[in-house]
Amino acid sequence: QVQLEESGGGLVQAGGSLRLSCAGSGRFSNLYVLGWFRQAPGKEREFVAAISGREISYADSVKGRFTISRDSVQNTVYLQMNSLEPADTAVYYCAARLGRVSDYASYYRYWGQGTQVTVSS
């Protein structure tokens, strides 16, 4: 069993920054693709960013503002979020899968509990 746990969410003013962390445990493998998704009230879960050993992908809405990275020794993935906007308000989820980077949530097998990010205007 693979376990993922997010942390680092909170309340921030527009234009501010937050850094989210997601720690993997259990049968976690460094071969997994790691991704971030988010879900706002009344909306579908949407892709934010993902990273593998050789590929990184971002949603158009966050390019130039968010940066995804990983620490293989600590089995941790990070999402640095800068220039935050009210539209970024959502619950952010960490996810993992075998295979290639993908923007389809259904392709990811393992999920964390989520962490709330709220951006005030």
Side-chain angles (χ1 to χ4, degrees):
Q1 181 177 337
V2 172
Q3 297 175 350
L4 301 172
E5 184 172 1
E6 305 95 336
S7 62
L11 175 64
V12 65
Q13 293 184 339
S17 299
L18 286 173
R19 189 174 80 149
L20 306 183
S21 299
C22 173
S25 61
R27 294 181 60 83
F28 182 84
S29 170
N30 287 322
L31 298 177
Y32 287 147
V33 175
L34 295 171
W36 288 97
F37 293 78
R38 66 188 183 186
Q39 187 166 22
K43 299 185 65 177
E44 293 290 306
R45 188 168 299 186
E46 69 172 332
F47 172 76
V48 177
I51 185 170
S52 70
R54 59 186 297 166
E55 186 178 8
I56 297 176
S57 182
Y58 295 96
D60 289 342
S61 60
V62 306
K63 286 181 179 177
R65 300 189 298 121
F66 291 10
T67 302
I68 188 171
S69 61
R70 66 190 297 171
D71 184 334
S72 296
V73 174
Q74 294 186 308
N75 297 327
T76 302
V77 62
Y78 303 94
L79 185 68
Q80 178 66 47
M81 305 184 294
N82 299 326
S83 301
L84 284 163
E85 305 167 354
D88 296 316
T89 295
V91 176
Y92 283 71
Y93 297 92
C94 176
R97 68 168 300 225
L98 292 173
R100 298 180 61 187
V101 164
S102 174
D103 60 355
Y104 290 101
S106 62
Y107 285 8
Y108 290 79
R109 182 181 299 272
Y110 305 105
W111 293 84
Q113 296 286 340
T115 185
Q116 177 71 48
V117 172
T118 302
V119 184
S120 64
S121 60

